[in-house]
Amino acid sequence: MYVKKRRLGRGVAIVGAGVSKFGSFSDKTSRDLFIEAFNELKQSVDRGIDPKDIEALYLGNHIGEYCEGQSLMAPIIAGYLGMIPKPATRVENACVSSGVALREGIIAIASGLYDIVLVGGVEKMTTLSTEGVTDALGSALDALYETPAGFTFPGIYAAMATTYMDKYGAKEEHFMKVAIKNHNNGALNPKAQFNTTIKDIMNGRIAKAKQKGQPIPTWVDEMEFLKDPKANPVVAWPMKLFDCSPITDGASCLLLVAEEVAKSFTDTPVYVIGTGQGSDYPLYEREDMTTILAAKFAAQEAYAMAGVKPEDIQIAEVHDCFTIAELVGIEDIGFFSPGGAIKAIEEGLTARDGAKPINTSGGLKSKGHPVGATGTAQAAEIWLQMRGQAGARQVPDKDISLALTHNVGGSGPTCAIHIYERR
Amino acid sequence: MVSQKEFTDAAFNQLLGEGKLMASRCKKCGALHLPPKPICVNCQEGDMEWTILKGKGKLAAFTTIAVGLPRMIQEGYGRDNPYCSGIVELEEGPRISARILDVDARNPQKLKVGMPLVVDFLERGEGENKRTLLAFKPV
Ligand SMILES: [Zn+2]
């Protein structure tokens, strides 16, 4: 695949980031969630930001119409931030909505149009039932040829998993190991929806059974727990409940500025040195269903722009909407060879203390997946890790100067990849 | 000439209703498009013709779905009665998404990528809402 080496008109840096608590909040709307993230962003700018200086907003939001009866979310949020009459644009690209909002903000600054841009995303999903969310997210599939076949969003990733199992010999246990790893990280992230390990979830259920005088489950470890269909029922085989990211309310945002003014906001900006975006067909039309071409293309574009290679990148946030997606994702970004993700998860290479830590935030699986907010939330984790501010989940024994985010939309027809540098 | 219809979704569905699984073929480069496309994605030319497929293929990817779409729940599927959706690779080359019938969706481990399948046509709805859905079943 030939990918043109592109360059930005001028450099762009992140000088602030904010993430709301992720979870289920019946008393909070998208507006409340975004303001929570924005307030944290303001606190994170070392030398402060006067909100009046922000020139434009790019906001990721995927299913506002379904969840809150609200399209055109961007000007509404801008109105709550006091940004009227400045331009505010909603970016809808399924689960990569804010990943593309980030890219649009970068392009706007690199073009010279603006110096200071707010990018972010929000999704308020828990207003809907599980069936309602299944229906709403299903709208990101091919409505003419995938949904009539009965496919759901988990179902499409499950189908990808069956081809991956057939081609590379992956077992259901490999998917489970991804979930265990990401929960181990999410347990250290106070913002995570599931701020707990799977072992603790298991022990909690055992304790509850004892307390209620019910038969005590005999799981000896989290693997046995995950293999018990009562504890971990099938959603779309081979994807089970603990293979799926949850239904989440949340928001995230980043303050992007032109490189030449970055140091007036902080001594340690995080520079975005590579951006890539790609597209792909629906799953059934892809030549190889065990890989996502949009991601490979976006990765190559981002690597070429940044002038770095996969082996140079120290950590990454990878789009684990389903556990299979993380295995495919770490191959698509070139960290491991095709099928090599199986050995990587077996050997703990992607654990927080491994050679290539993946999803230190807990990933979508444990941190939560408010779809429109996920892309910029991934970047916010990188911002913390690069500045040594990730607290208990800070990657040990590594000074992080190069990192990557991999944000995929729908079943993979769209993907944005970004590469970050701390100088 | 197999059909004079335009290469649209409506035409594809009408043909399904007649029990025909049809693709569009590029007259210039021969590429097959299923579902039919009016512009060849291979050479980006727009000179296409209809071609009928034999309806034989193999299972390329699948899942058995316990948390289904609202429409499938209305059909009686659910957590205790999962259904199978799959991607079928036709003998002629293209792949398509379809309902997979007559398989034991409660035992997905027994389903195998590569198993031979044959086309079936599933009637749903009444009157104006009548629609033929593409399905496959084991040979
Ligand atoms: Zn052609």
Side-chain angles (χ1 to χ4, degrees):
Chain A
M1 175 171 48
Y2 172 73
V3 177
K4 189 174 172 184
K5 182 174 162 61
R6 300 176 191 280
R7 60 179 193 88
L8 297 175
R10 60 175 175 162
V12 178
I14 302 171
V15 296
V19 179
S20 75
K21 176 90 177 75
F22 280 12
S24 173
F25 309 109
S26 58
D27 55 349
K28 283 183 184 167
T29 65
S30 282
R31 303 163 199 203
D32 305 319
L33 293 163
F34 196 86
I35 287 163
E36 188 182 327
F38 183 69
N39 281 334
E40 189 183 81
L41 177 148
K42 281 198 289 186
Q43 297 299 316
S44 76
V45 183
D46 295 334
R47 295 202 181 93
I49 170 74
D50 183 345
K52 289 189 178 60
D53 294 335
I54 300 172
E55 296 170 286
L57 168 67
Y58 293 89
L59 181 80
N61 179 243
H62 177 31
I63 48 173
E65 288 88 338
Y66 288 85
C67 299
E68 291 181 296
Q70 181 70 66
S71 66
L72 200 58
M73 192 78 83
I76 295 217
I77 298 289
Y80 274 68
L81 301 178
M83 284 183 63
I84 301 296
K86 291 167 189 167
T89 307
R90 172 193 180 183
V91 177
E92 195 288 290
N93 241 29
C95 322
V96 66
S97 294
S98 60
V100 174
L102 165 59
R103 183 173 154 90
E104 291 301 319
I106 291 166
I107 292 168
I109 291 174
S111 76
L113 190 62
Y114 306 120
D115 290 328
I116 304 173
V117 169
L118 181 66
V119 298
V122 64
E123 211 76 58
K124 165 75 196 174
M125 300 173 74
T126 62
T127 44
L128 300 180
S129 64
T130 299
E131 285 74 17
V133 171
T134 302
D135 187 36
L137 294 179
S139 71
L141 299 177
D142 178 342
L144 293 184
Y145 302 110
E146 285 182 322
T147 37
F151 273 114
T152 57
F153 197 39
I156 282 283
Y157 272 98
M160 225 181 280
T162 60
T163 61
Y164 189 86
M165 293 163 91
D166 181 63
K167 187 167 177 185
Y168 297 118
K171 304 276 179 248
E172 290 168 72
E173 287 85 346
H174 295 114
F175 306 136
M176 293 168 180
K177 282 186 173 149
V178 173
I180 292 169
K181 169 184 76 73
N182 289 351
H183 271 270
N184 287 346
N185 292 340
L188 303 173
N189 182 354
K191 297 276 180 69
Q193 181 167 12
F194 294 114
N195 178 220
T196 172
T197 63
I198 291 180
K199 185 164 253 168
D200 283 345
I201 294 172
M202 176 185 89
N203 289 334
R205 302 244 175 114
I206 293 172
K208 205 171 170 187
K210 275 184 191 162
Q211 194 191 5
K212 287 190 172 174
Q214 290 164 343
I216 296 160
T218 55
W219 312 303
V220 297
D221 58 18
E222 61 255 72
M223 211 44 147
E224 266 196 22
F225 170 77
L226 292 177
K227 285 180 182 173
D228 180 349
K230 284 202 191 77
N232 189 19
V234 168
V235 174
W237 190 89
M239 293 291 104
K240 303 170 190 75
L241 183 64
F242 279 87
D243 291 299
C244 304
S245 54
I247 294 164
T248 309
D249 304 331
S252 62
C253 52
L254 308 168
L255 188 64
L256 295 184
V257 303
E259 187 173 318
E260 59 249 39
V261 298
K263 286 284 174 77
S264 65
F265 293 94
T266 172
D267 289 335
T268 47
V270 167
Y271 297 93
V272 189
I273 58 168
T275 175
Q277 186 184 345
S279 303
D280 200 355
Y281 295 111
L283 183 63
Y284 62 89
E285 283 192 85
R286 293 180 206 159
E287 221 168 275
D288 183 348
M289 295 190 286
T290 62
T291 177
I292 291 175
L293 185 65
K296 281 176 149 174
F297 179 85
Q300 289 191 28
E301 196 179 62
Y303 283 128
M305 184 184 288
V308 301
K309 295 189 171 68
E311 49 269 35
D312 302 325
I313 306 287
Q314 295 161 290
I315 58 166
E317 288 286 303
V318 169
H319 198 90
D320 59 324
C321 50
F322 300 95
T323 50
I324 175 65
E326 179 171 312
L327 297 181
V328 168
I330 59 179
E331 294 173 9
D332 288 342
I333 59 175
F335 281 17
F336 302 98
S337 60
I342 297 169
K343 202 158 169 259
I345 190 72
E346 272 175 359
E347 293 178 354
L349 301 183
T350 55
R352 210 166 43 84
D353 58 356
K356 285 280 194 194
I358 303 292
N359 286 329
T360 55
S361 67
L364 284 47
K365 172 69 202 79
S366 163
K367 180 186 56 182
H369 184 25
V371 284
T374 283
T376 38
Q378 290 177 319
E381 174 70 9
I382 297 299
W383 155 268
L384 290 177
Q385 289 284 351
M386 284 194 139
R387 289 163 44 100
Q389 295 173 324
R393 66 185 189 283
Q394 183 71 40
V395 167
D397 309 323
K398 277 194 178 77
D399 184 28
I400 311 294
S401 59
L402 275 174
L404 178 148
T405 55
H406 159 277
N407 184 198
V408 172
S411 67
T414 177
C415 178
I417 303 241
H418 287 94
I419 297 174
Y420 311 83
E421 182 184 38
R422 204 211 59 224
R423 292 173 188 156
Chain B
M1 186 63 67
V2 192
S3 171
Q4 300 280 11
K5 291 181 202 297
E6 285 184 58
F7 303 98
T8 59
D9 174 59
F12 177 69
N13 279 308
Q14 249 172 31
L15 291 163
L16 282 185
E18 295 168 18
K20 294 175 191 157
L21 175 60
M22 294 186 72
S24 67
R25 191 208 324 260
C26 173
K27 286 186 188 170
K28 188 175 170 217
C29 76
L32 275 178
H33 300 80
L34 180 72
K37 284 183 179 165
I39 295 173
C40 175
V41 301
N42 184 41
C43 69
Q44 296 181 311
E45 291 287 331
D47 194 10
M48 313 293 279
E49 63 185 358
W50 284 103
T51 178
I52 191 154
L53 304 177
K54 283 183 286 185
K56 287 182 189 163
K58 59 182 185 188
L59 191 60
F62 69 93
T63 177
T64 55
I65 298 180
V67 182
L69 295 172
R71 182 169 44 72
M72 300 301 288
I73 295 169
Q74 279 168 21
E75 279 191 32
Y77 293 102
R79 286 171 205 265
D80 300 323
N81 182 27
Y83 61 90
C84 184
S85 296
I87 293 173
V88 180
E89 185 171 316
L90 279 305
E91 265 185 23
E92 292 88 347
R95 293 204 210 98
I96 186 100
S97 302
R99 295 275 299 273
I100 309 297
L101 308 176
D102 299 347
V103 293
D104 182 4
R106 285 191 187 85
N107 287 299
Q109 291 88 344
K110 289 190 180 151
L111 298 175
K112 292 281 176 265
V113 166
M115 65 187 272
L117 298 169
V118 62
V119 74
D120 198 2
F121 301 93
L122 205 55
E123 303 285 342
R124 285 287 175 270
E126 300 284 332
E128 277 194 8
N129 294 322
K130 193 173 163 190
R131 170 140 197 224
T132 306
L133 296 175
L134 183 61
F136 281 80
K137 59 187 181 188
V139 173

